[in-house]
Amino acid sequence: MQEGVILKEISIEEVLESQNSIIVDVRTPKEYEEDHIPDSINIPIFDDDERAIIGTLYKQKGKEIAVKTGIEITSPKLQDFYNKYLTLSKQYNQIILYCFRGGMRSGSLVNFLNEMGLNVLKISGGYKSYRNYVLDYLENLGMKHQFIVLHGHTGTGKTQLLEALEEKGCCVLNLEALAQNSGSVYGEIFYSGKAPTQKWFDSRIVKILRESKFKNVLMESESKKIGKVTLCKSFWDTMTDGKHILVNSSAQNRVIRLVKDYTKYNTKDDEYLKKSTARLKDTIGTKAVEDLINKIENKDYEYVAHFLILNYYDKLYSYSIDKYKYDMSVSSDEIDLAVSKILEYYDNAEKEI
C-alpha cells in the first residue's frame, strides 16, 4: 500500500446522512436482489456462481484454498473495477463500498482502489450493520413516529385518499404498493410488479420514514400479512396505538371504484378474476362462485362487485373495522372535501408534537 493510504471505515449512520456519495454493493446479484441499502448500486466482485464455488471450497477444503480461488477469479477483473470506480470518483465526492460483513470482499477492493489513488471508504460491519439499523428502527417506531390510520370497507377509496394526501406533502406509507399486493384474495390484481422480499419491504419502509420531516405518518389499516410480506410486531403495535380515521362511501361509489380497479386491463384481468373468484368456494359457496364466474365472462362487473361487497368484503372486514374507536370520520363520496378534512387533521397533529 502506498505511503499515507489508510483503509477508512464509515458507520452506517454516517453513510445514510452523507451527501453526494455513491454507495456500492459488491455482493452478488442474488444478495443485492434480496435486499440492499436503498439507492446503492451493484458492482459485484463475484457473480452468483463464483460465490457458490468459493463458499463450497471454504467448507470442504478450508480458507486458504478458497482465498486463492477468489484471487484467481478476481485478478482478471481488476482493470475493469478500476475503470468503473475511476468514473464514479469523477461524479461523486465519496465512494462507499460494502459487502456482507464489511470483511474480505469490500476490504480487499478498498485496499486496491486506495493504492490506485482513489478515495474509497468501507462501511463498518457491511450489509449486516445496515440490516441491524433497519431492525432497530422498526423496533423503536413508536418513539419516532405516530401513525394516522385510514379504515373503511373495500371500495371506499382509501388508497385514492392516500395518493392525494401524499401529493399535498404528507408523509404516506402505501403499504399495499410497497408489498405489491392489496391483501385480499384479489390482492395481486392491482399491482403488476414483483413481490418484494421481506428484507427489501422493511428497507423501503424505513427509507420513507427516515427521510420524512414529519412525525405523523398516514397509512391504510392492514392485516399483519400483506401478500408475501409481514408487518413486524412493533409496526403493528404502533399502528394499533395510533390515531384512527373512518372512511365511508355510498354503495354505488364503492361499486364504481371496484369495477374500475378490477377491469383496468380489460379482458386480460378476466382470467385472473375467475381464478381468484374460484378460491372463494369455501367462503361463499360453489353455486355463488359459478354464478360470479358466469357474470365475469359476460362482463357484468357491476353485479360481481356489488355481490362481493355484500357477501364477501364487508363480512370479512367488519370485525377489524368495528373494533377501533375513531378520532374522526369522513365521506369519500367527495374526494376533495375528504382530503381537505384529513389534511387539516394531519396538520393539527403535527402542531401538537
Side-chain angles (χ1 to χ4, degrees), residues 131-177:
R131 179 60 181 167
N132 288 336
Y133 172 90
V134 169
L135 293 175
D136 181 72
Y137 196 105
L138 292 172
E139 183 63 31
N140 295 283
L141 270 178
M143 300 173 61
K144 304 174 188 292
H145 301 282
Q146 175 176 258
F147 291 167
I148 300 176
V149 188
L150 304 188
H151 300 255
H153 285 296
T154 300
T156 53
K158 300 182 293 296
T159 299
Q160 186 179 358
L161 287 170
L162 288 179
E163 290 171 349
L165 288 160
E166 187 171 21
E167 290 181 359
K168 296 288 186 181
C170 300
C171 179
V172 170
L173 268 183
N174 189 334
L175 295 172
E176 293 182 353

Side-chain angles (χ1 to χ4, degrees), residues 26-253:
V26 303
R27 300 174 302 153
T28 65
K30 184 177 180 180
E31 290 174 290
Y32 181 82
E33 183 178 5
E34 182 184 16
D35 187 34
H36 54 271
I37 298 175
D39 302 321
S40 66
I41 64 173
N42 187 215
I43 305 179
I45 294 177
F46 304 120
D47 63 27
D48 296 322
D49 292 337
E50 291 167 344
R51 177 67 172 160
I53 290 169
I54 293 171
T56 300
L57 288 174
Y58 188 92
K59 292 178 181 178
Q60 296 180 352
K61 298 187 177 182
K63 181 178 179 180
E64 183 176 343
I65 298 297
V67 170
K68 286 182 178 179
T69 303
I71 293 172
E72 291 172 1
I73 292 173
T74 306
S75 295
K77 304 178 183 181
L78 291 179
Q79 180 66 56
D80 184 52
F81 286 149
Y82 174 74
N83 291 338
K84 288 179 178 178
Y85 286 98
L86 179 62
T87 299
L88 291 175
S89 71
K90 296 175 181 178
Q91 300 171 351
Y92 299 94
N93 291 338
Q94 280 186 326
I95 302 175
I96 303 170
L97 271 62
Y98 71 95
C99 59
F100 182 67
R101 291 189 179 88
M104 185 171 293
R105 277 185 286 179
S106 58
S108 299
L109 188 54
V110 167
N111 275 336
F112 166 73
L113 294 171
N114 280 335
E115 287 179 348
M116 296 297 104
L118 300 181
N119 182 25
V120 182
L121 306 178
K122 180 182 79 164
I123 296 179
S124 178
Y127 166 80
K128 192 172 181 180
S129 68
Y130 164 72
R131 179 60 181 167
N132 288 336
Y133 172 90
V134 169
L135 293 175
D136 181 72
Y137 196 105
L138 292 172
E139 183 63 31
N140 295 283
L141 270 178
M143 300 173 61
K144 304 174 188 292
H145 301 282
Q146 175 176 258
F147 291 167
I148 300 176
V149 188
L150 304 188
H151 300 255
H153 285 296
T154 300
T156 53
K158 300 182 293 296
T159 299
Q160 186 179 358
L161 287 170
L162 288 179
E163 290 171 349
L165 288 160
E166 187 171 21
E167 290 181 359
K168 296 288 186 181
C170 300
C171 179
V172 170
L173 268 183
N174 189 334
L175 295 172
E176 293 182 353
L178 292 174
Q180 287 293 295
N181 193 293
S182 67
S184 74
V185 71
Y186 296 93
E188 295 178 359
I189 198 169
F190 306 110
Y191 301 100
S192 57
K194 181 180 179 181
T197 64
Q198 181 67 50
K199 290 179 179 179
W200 182 231
F201 178 71
D202 294 342
S203 284
R204 295 184 69 192
I205 286 176
V206 170
K207 174 179 168 60
I208 292 170
L209 296 180
R210 184 180 61 81
E211 293 181 351
S212 173
K213 60 183 178 180
F214 302 112
K215 179 179 176 66
N216 286 280
V217 182
L218 284 158
M219 70 184 65
E220 181 179 345
S221 177
E222 297 290 350
S223 58
K224 291 182 179 179
K225 188 171 178 60
I226 313 172
K228 296 181 180 180
V229 296
T230 303
L231 298 174
C232 65
K233 183 180 183 301
S234 58
F235 191 104
W236 178 261
D237 291 342
T238 304
M239 188 168 68
T240 302
D241 295 338
K243 302 291 186 180
H244 301 277
I245 297 175
L246 181 61
V247 181
N248 296 301
S249 182
S250 67
Q252 180 181 5
N253 281 331

Side-chain angles (χ1 to χ4, degrees), residues 258-284:
L258 287 182
V259 169
K260 182 179 178 181
D261 286 337
Y262 283 175
T263 62
K264 61 181 179 179
Y265 295 125
N266 299 316
T267 56
K268 179 181 177 182
D269 278 351
D270 284 358
E271 291 306 313
Y272 181 86
L273 280 173
K274 290 191 287 185
K275 185 186 297 185
S276 298
T277 302
R279 300 177 194 159
L280 295 175
K281 287 183 179 179
D282 292 340
T283 306
I284 63 176

